[in-house]
Amino acid sequence: MFTISPHPSLLLLSLWFQSTQGRCVFDEVQQSVRVVTPVTGSSPTKHIEVSDSLAVFPASEQIGAFRWTRGTSLQYLQPQRTRGQAMTDMAPIRISTWIPQESVPLSEVDRERLDSAINQTVRIVSGLLSVRHIPGPLLLSRDINKYCKFIWRNASAANYNRCGRANGSYRNETCLDVVIPDEHLRGCAVFHHPDSPISAEFRREGAGLDNTDFLLYLHIQNSRRCSTEPSMLAYAAHCQTDPQGRPLAGTVVICREQLRQERYRHETTVQVLIHELFHVLGFSRTLFNTWRDCFHTRQAGMGCLPHGRVTNLDDTGHMRIYTQSVVRALQEHLNSTDPQLGGPLENVVHTTYYIHFYDYDADSGGLSSHWEARVLLGSIMTAALGEPSTVQIDHMTLAALQDTGWYSANFSRAQSLVWGQGSMFK
Ligand SMILES: *[C@@H]1O[C@H](CO)[C@@H](O)[C@H](O)[C@H]1NC(C)=O
Ligand SMILES: *[C@@H]1O[C@H](CO)[C@@H](O)[C@H](O)[C@H]1NC(C)=O
Ligand SMILES: *[C@@H]1O[C@H](CO)[C@@H](O)[C@H](O)[C@H]1NC(C)=O
Ligand SMILES: [Zn+2]
């Protein structure tokens, strides 16, 4: 029922039509970013270290898309009992923003415009998503493969996986093209002997960011992407995750020209920023398979095990996300109990002809980080957003973010939210 029109001219027309509204280039951008995850033993918080030990459980057999309906192989877990607990230690996500030095300076007016859009974006998103707060300051990790020339690889040595020799030409860590300030980064040390605890500090530990669960760098730029695609407003990528896979930091590049009075549209900007923020928080094809299953595998209120693969082709060859809340949300949306109703992702075009001629937003595996607009038109997570009044932070999108296992979503807000009507933009 959701098959793509097989007629080539229709397909081309619709691709062209969408791109005039400015398609999101997130997947292409994210693909270019090397994501840093702390190595075992240097987790950012004690809490995460504890829950990380769960990762030694077998990741359960993957029964593909429908695992939750047959989740009996996970007997050591108690879904009913833990479901309630799951939400209790969650609190609205605290998102800090940071404008790096390399951003182009803005006039005061343009700066106020941006501040207002950012503040609203952060307010909306933290009203929608809760997370287990990071105790203490957020510190990002340094990439051991960058600062280190030699890593101890003997698993029985005390300094296993630690740095044995520093890389003298190590400079910094980056997030997209932002240089991460040293103040935001953990320190690092060099252990000259595989078993000796004696180490030499190589970089000092920064102070980190207080009251922060996610750090968003705002890079205001006239980048090449901005200038080659005049309707481009912003694009983003995440660059750091915690050991559970939850993104901790990302960058959104905001195209400078879009902030000028003549072009600026507040509601569009906020919607695009929310869209990009949802990507970097987890609605991302590079993260789908690191989502955590908190329905079947939550243990004693702590960690949730990886889902394994959450995407699958349906009978018509359409790629969908099959996780509990997403399936239920779509079933409700379509008033159906069909178990094949996973969240439809924008489809890959199987004919290579189209891939060659159009920079289609899906990789060869058929994955895209956007909903299929033919089914979820108006959703904030379709690749091209329409008029602000037609765009919604829909139930499906919140269901997907909830199913990352990193967040709990406030669904009552999704239902009441209608762009341009509610109080959010007034
Ligand atoms: C690994 O480290 C242990 C403990 O230091 C040592 O006994 C062993 O010989 C090492 N193995 C190798 C292959 O270096
Ligand atoms: C949903 O489907 C059921 C059974 O097919 C039908 O009885 C009901 O009226 C439908 N509800 C809506 C709101 O369409
Ligand atoms: C969810 O949003 C509703 C409506 O804005 C609000 O009343 C409620 O307190 C929120 N729930 C949580 C858990 O934040
Ligand atoms: Zn996007």
Side-chain angles (χ1 to χ4, degrees):
M1 80 191 87
F2 303 121
T3 48
I4 296 288
S5 162
H7 195 278
S9 63
L10 267 181
L11 184 61
L12 294 179
L13 181 67
S14 89
L15 289 177
W16 171 81
F17 181 70
Q18 286 184 348
S19 69
T20 58
Q21 298 167 41
R23 286 177 54 81
C24 172
V25 295
F26 170 77
D27 280 329
E28 195 186 312
V29 175
Q30 183 65 61
Q31 204 159 22
S32 70
V33 171
R34 183 187 161 83
V35 175
V36 178
T37 298
V39 287
T40 320
S42 64
S43 317
T45 72
K46 210 163 84 197
H47 161 77
I48 284 163
E49 270 171 20
V50 174
S51 55
D52 200 35
S53 64
L54 282 177
V56 300
F57 280 95
S60 86
E61 62 228 62
Q62 297 307 313
I63 322 176
F66 302 100
R67 213 186 76 202
W68 70 90
T69 58
R70 322 174 186 163
T72 49
S73 61
L74 303 163
Q75 309 96 330
Y76 55 94
L77 306 158
Q78 298 290 328
Q80 309 94 314
R81 180 172 59 79
T82 55
R83 185 71 192 127
Q85 284 177 7
M87 302 303 147
T88 53
D89 49 354
M90 298 283 208
I93 186 168
R94 301 164 303 172
I95 299 168
S96 295
T97 56
W98 180 274
I99 299 186
Q101 282 176 346
E102 52 267 53
S103 277
V104 298
L106 293 179
S107 70
E108 202 171 312
V109 198
D110 291 354
R111 179 62 195 270
E112 273 170 20
R113 239 176 245 131
L114 178 62
D115 281 352
S116 154
I118 295 289
N119 289 342
Q120 190 164 14
T121 300
V122 167
R123 210 166 52 237
I124 291 173
V125 171
S126 56
L128 291 166
L129 299 179
S130 288
V131 72
R132 224 162 274 112
H133 278 185
I134 293 183
L138 170 69
L139 276 163
L140 303 181
S141 299
R142 293 182 188 269
D143 185 352
I144 194 167
N145 298 302
K146 280 174 77 179
Y147 74 76
C148 194
K149 254 203 165 120
F150 170 77
I151 301 170
W152 297 111
R153 291 302 191 195
N154 177 346
S156 45
N159 291 328
Y160 173 57
N161 267 349
R162 287 181 167 154
C163 186
R165 187 151 30 95
N167 174 2
S169 51
Y170 172 71
R171 293 211 173 288
N172 52 38
E173 299 296 330
T174 58
C175 190
L176 206 48
D177 40 11
V178 169
V179 173
I180 300 180
D182 284 341
E183 278 306 289
H184 297 175
L185 288 164
R186 305 192 148 270
C188 58
V190 175
F191 296 80
H192 295 291
H193 188 277
D195 286 309
S196 163
I198 297 169
S199 64
E201 183 177 76
F202 182 52
R203 287 291 187 275
R204 238 188 47 222
E205 181 128 319
L209 290 107
D210 287 323
N211 303 317
T212 303
D213 302 307
F214 184 83
L215 173 56
L216 184 66
Y217 293 105
L218 301 173
H219 194 185
I220 302 123
Q221 242 190 325
N222 285 309
S223 69
R224 191 178 45 81
R225 276 184 212 281
C226 292
S227 45
T228 49
E229 175 53 77
S231 63
M232 177 85 65
L233 205 156
Y235 54 89
H238 80 275
C239 57
Q240 297 244 339
T241 70
D242 71 13
Q244 300 284 297
R246 180 174 81 75
L248 293 175
T251 292
V252 58
V253 171
I254 297 164
C255 297
R256 198 264 167 270
E257 294 305 308
Q258 300 287 343
L259 295 172
R260 296 194 193 279
Q261 173 74 47
E262 320 81 78
R263 290 195 182 181
Y264 186 75
R265 290 182 69 197
H266 179 73
E267 294 181 11
T268 305
T269 306
V270 172
Q271 288 177 351
V272 168
L273 289 175
I274 292 172
H275 175 107
E276 295 301 322
L277 197 47
F278 280 169
H279 277 316
V280 297
L281 288 174
F283 199 106
S284 167
R285 71 176 182 194
T286 65
L287 292 170
F288 289 155
N289 292 343
T290 66
W291 287 8
R292 299 261 158 171
D293 182 355
C294 295
F295 277 92
H296 302 102
T297 73
R298 175 174 290 276
Q299 236 198 13
M302 292 304 290
C304 308
L305 293 178
H307 266 289
R309 189 179 158 146
V310 301
T311 52
N312 234 326
L313 290 172
D314 68 11
D315 288 347
T316 68
H318 206 123
M319 191 60 82
R320 293 172 182 270
I321 295 178
Y322 289 99
T323 50
Q324 181 125 357
S325 318
V326 167
V327 170
R328 207 168 47 199
L330 190 63
Q331 287 175 343
E332 277 167 22
H333 184 61
L334 300 173
N335 192 26
S336 160
T337 54
D338 184 353
Q340 285 245 332
L341 288 178
L345 295 172
E346 195 178 42
N347 221 2
V348 68
V349 181
H350 289 288
T351 320
T352 49
Y353 174 86
Y354 298 119
I355 294 170
H356 282 301
F357 284 84
Y358 291 86
D359 188 14
Y360 204 72
D361 190 9
D363 67 8
S364 50
L367 279 182
S368 156
S369 303
H370 294 112
W371 293 132
E372 170 57 63
R374 290 168 184 82
V375 182
L376 294 167
L377 187 69
S379 164
I380 187 122
M381 291 318 287
T382 53
L385 300 182
E387 274 299 303
S389 60
T390 66
V391 176
Q392 293 189 343
I393 300 180
D394 56 303
H395 211 272
M396 285 289 293
T397 298
L398 290 187
L401 288 163
Q402 163 105 10
D403 285 345
T404 61
W406 304 313
Y407 311 105
S408 81
N410 190 335
F411 289 100
S412 65
R413 294 206 170 187
Q415 290 159 336
S416 63
L417 192 135
V418 179
W419 295 106
Q421 283 181 11
S423 57
M424 270 179 169
F425 283 104
K426 303 299 170 203

